[in-house]
Amino acid sequence: MSDIVDVVIVGAGPAGMSAALAAHQAGYSLMVLEKSMPGGKLNSYQTLEGFPGYEHVSAQQFGLDLYDALTKKDIQTTYGDVQSIEKKGDLFFITTDVGSYQGRVVIMATGTKERPLTIPGAEALFGQGISYCAACDGGFFRDKDVAVIGSDLHAMEEAIFLANLCHHVHVLIPQPGVAPKNWLVKLNQLTNVTIIEGATPVRVLGQDQVTGLRYQTVVHGEQEILLDGIFPVLGWVPNFQPIGSFKNLLDQDGYGLANREGVSNIRGLYIIGDLQAKATRSVKNVIAQGQLVVKEIANVIKR
Ligand SMILES: Cc1cc2nc3c(=O)[nH]c(=O)nc-3n(C[C@H](O)[C@H](O)[C@H](O)COP(=O)(O)OP(=O)(O)OC[C@H]3O[C@@H](n4cnc5c(N)ncnc54)[C@H](O)[C@@H]3O)c2cc1C
């Protein structure tokens, strides 16, 4: 068990890193816990749009710059997957897969994760041809045949990104009519893309590695395609398990209930960023929340 810190921040995405900078500036002792890579979602797409003053900046670079700002202030990131958070008296006890920590307040900034593909074969072949991140893993499928499964704009963006790398991209659209038409037009113009509308995936094929996909359409029944990789793009679900034990903290979809400043109904537990129910999910908003939440801490930690 380590020393008690004032502020434990869970998640080093833009929300968590912004909160870390603000907490440091306010003079609190703090630690940042991150289970994979600082930057969060910024690592999973190419270009950051809509951040005032920055035109088409690299999302990954933006994340690296934020992380750099932390390291310049000697704010350490501790690696570990937070698995439980409990409150005893005035202290929070945070357990990760590698250690246990104590804090006076906790800021949850764990964001969201990709909604998983749940058909047979999908879980077993994750990392063996199934990937949820074209920007991270697309390079492994250069000149190969892949499928994108998804109906929204993000799925179309991923398909276009992969079409620039892969030999052929099959785009299975379970719910036609969701993505903007002009994106479908763009995709249709690419000679190495096949669009299959109204296709429901049924089974991932392959023993140790993806070799194909079985899917179904109302018109043609079950069909199979041979593939090297599959990119499900099915939306997002909250990363909220660690605080699932607290009562009345989640909405019906599992997102965290807190006000604009991140204040939840548990004293000292704050929820910011994409994890929040009804959050406006953009980098500028979550960075602003990271700053706002630290002002609230003064109500709990009296100095
Ligand atoms: C494809 C895509 C494109 C986007 N494009 C834009 C854009 O152009 N402009 C824009 O403004 N916004 C964009 N966004 C939205 C923006 O990236 C998010 O709003 C923002 O990243 C949310 O920040 P966050 O810190 O709340 O969560 P995240 O960025 O999701 O970070 C959460 C962090 O918590 C960590 N974590 C999760 N669980 C645990 C755990 N149990 N223990 C420890 N650590 C944990 C994760 O590893 C991650 O690093 C885009 C999002 C996506 C998915």
Side-chain angles (χ1 to χ4, degrees):
M1 189 76 71
S2 59
D3 294 341
I4 300 168
V5 293
D6 292 331
V7 185
V8 176
I9 297 166
V10 186
M17 289 199 282
S18 168
L21 289 168
H24 179 271
Q25 168 108 23
Y28 293 114
S29 61
L30 74 141
M31 69 184 306
V32 180
L33 294 170
E34 168 56 48
K35 74 170 178 183
S36 65
M37 205 188 337
K41 288 285 173 313
L42 290 166
N43 296 306
S44 66
Y45 53 97
Q46 304 284 308
T47 310
L48 170 63
E49 309 279 359
F51 197 94
Y54 289 83
E55 284 280 321
H56 310 301
V57 45
S58 150
Q60 201 175 11
Q61 189 58 50
F62 190 86
L64 285 171
D65 289 350
L66 268 175
Y67 182 62
D68 198 35
L70 261 64
T71 48
K72 281 191 178 128
K73 295 194 183 316
D74 279 336
I75 303 170
Q76 302 293 327
T77 301
T78 303
Y79 290 92
D81 185 342
V82 173
Q83 298 183 334
S84 75
I85 300 176
E86 284 177 68
K87 190 173 186 195
K88 291 181 195 156
D90 286 340
L91 277 187
F92 288 91
F93 294 78
I94 301 101
T95 308
T96 72
D97 51 348
V98 290
S100 301
Y101 311 95
Q102 297 174 60
R104 293 188 172 84
V105 306
V106 171
I107 300 176
M108 289 296 295
T110 49
T112 53
K113 62 183 175 201
E114 296 78 8
R115 185 181 295 282
L117 179 66
T118 51
I119 58 175
E123 193 180 348
L125 292 173
F126 172 67
Q128 308 299 327
I130 302 263
S131 166
Y132 289 89
C133 179
C136 325
D137 297 335
F140 296 121
F141 298 91
R142 193 174 287 278
D143 300 326
K144 298 195 168 170
D145 291 347
V146 301
V148 171
I149 304 171
S151 306
D152 64 2
L153 171 61
H154 182 209
M156 305 305 119
E157 287 173 336
E158 296 287 80
I160 287 180
F161 174 78
L162 288 166
N164 284 320
L165 290 173
C166 301
H167 174 254
H168 201 91
V169 181
H170 302 263
V171 186
L172 278 72
I173 304 183
Q175 280 179 281
V178 175
K181 278 216 171 68
N182 56 329
W183 280 81
L184 275 179
V185 171
K186 264 192 214 176
L187 263 180
N188 253 323
Q189 284 163 351
L190 302 175
T191 52
N192 64 339
V193 169
T194 306
I195 297 175
I196 313 166
E197 292 201 90
T200 306
V202 173
R203 174 180 287 277
V204 176
L205 306 174
Q207 291 296 318
D208 307 319
Q209 188 69 34
V210 168
T211 56
L213 178 70
R214 188 176 301 154
Y215 67 92
Q216 193 169 34
T217 62
V218 174
V219 180
H220 297 108
E222 284 201 7
Q223 313 269 311
E224 284 184 8
I225 29 177
L226 297 179
L227 296 169
D228 303 292
I230 299 174
F231 289 82
V233 187
L234 304 170
W236 308 96
V237 289
N239 252 329
F240 217 55
Q241 304 93 313
I243 50 173
S245 61
F246 290 105
K247 300 273 180 259
N248 304 323
L249 262 188
L250 315 181
D251 72 1
Q252 70 280 8
D253 298 318
Y255 284 94
L257 295 168
N259 72 8
R260 199 174 63 102
E261 288 78 23
V263 179
S264 77
N265 67 1
I266 307 289
R267 185 174 162 79
L269 181 71
Y270 302 90
I271 301 164
I272 60 168
D274 277 12
L275 179 60
Q276 248 200 22
K278 297 191 181 147
T280 311
R281 298 189 174 88
S282 72
V283 173
K284 62 176 183 288
N285 284 320
V286 306
I287 283 190
Q289 271 201 320
Q291 302 287 308
L292 285 175
V293 70
V294 169
K295 296 207 184 318
E296 297 296 322
I297 292 173
N299 295 324
V300 173
I301 301 179
K302 304 286 179 206
R303 294 187 288 188

